[in-house]
Amino acid sequence: MTSHRGEHSTLSGNHPHPRLPAATDPDDLRADCANCFALCCTVPAFSASSDFAIDKPAGQACPNLRGDFRCGIHSSLRRRGFAGCTVYDCFGAGQRVSQVTFGGRDWRSSPGTARLMFEVFPVMRDLHELLWYLTQALTLPGTAPVRDALTEARADIELLTRESPETVARTDIAAR
């Protein structure tokens, strides 16, 4: 991850959420764990392997997750068998879901949001990854002939990230 739990960032600018810029800025396609509710530590399942020391079912918080949504073993993840955590990238989807889509309501203090939040996160992560690739493609000189199509595709995906949680959850990523 490009940002680490425990670090705090201050984001500024004219944005829909005072601490979270819109995803049109490439910097917003990077994880900002300080503004997320540990969705990557909760939503996906993982199996004991060279990447994860334990089995964890989907939708259940990792046992290393503290009450403040920070990792209790962040400084020793690799040594403790959690190399997968150190390479995972949500492309900024975690903070988008936490702070924009759900308006800062977290799944612990608002348990009624958990099911839908956990459905939205993997879709939003895929949308943010698509945004990352489209953003990168727009910087390449060889894409000049398709720049308009790339720009339009990126705008369409960006609009999807701003939809209601229900709409995001129903999005067919493969069709995009």
Side-chain angles (χ1 to χ4, degrees), residues 21-36:
T24 52
D25 181 344
D27 288 340
D28 303 329
L29 298 175
R30 291 188 182 111
D32 177 8
C33 300
N35 284 304
C36 179

Side-chain angles (χ1 to χ4, degrees), residues 34-170:
N35 284 304
C36 179
F37 301 128
L39 296 173
C40 66
C41 304
T42 308
V43 176
F46 48 81
S47 298
S49 64
S50 61
D51 288 330
F52 298 102
I54 60 170
D55 290 329
K56 185 197 81 64
Q60 182 179 59
C62 174
N64 298 309
L65 185 63
R66 298 184 326 207
D68 63 357
F69 298 110
R70 287 172 169 66
C71 179
I73 63 166
H74 190 269
S75 63
S76 60
L77 283 168
R78 284 190 182 274
R79 189 168 22 91
R80 292 184 141 191
F82 290 88
C85 298
T86 67
V87 297
Y88 179 82
D89 191 347
C90 76
F91 296 95
Q95 67 262 21
R96 171 66 67 125
V97 170
S98 298
Q99 301 302 328
V100 177
T101 309
F102 285 88
R105 289 174 295 140
D106 72 78
W107 54 269
R108 280 187 173 149
S109 61
S110 299
T113 66
R115 183 193 56 76
L116 186 56
M117 187 179 282
F118 294 175
E119 287 176 24
V120 167
F121 175 67
V123 177
M124 188 70 77
R125 192 242 171 243
D126 288 348
L127 290 171
H128 271 237
E129 183 175 9
L130 286 171
L131 285 172
W132 188 89
Y133 283 115
L134 289 164
T135 300
Q136 294 303 308
L138 284 165
T139 68
L140 302 172
T143 61
V146 293
R147 186 164 316 283
D148 289 345
L150 290 171
T151 301
E152 184 178 331
R154 190 177 190 308
D156 289 345
I157 299 296
E158 172 66 28
L159 285 174
L160 274 172
T161 69
R162 297 171 184 269
E163 291 288 344
S164 70
E166 294 80 9
T167 299
V168 172
R170 288 190 312 266

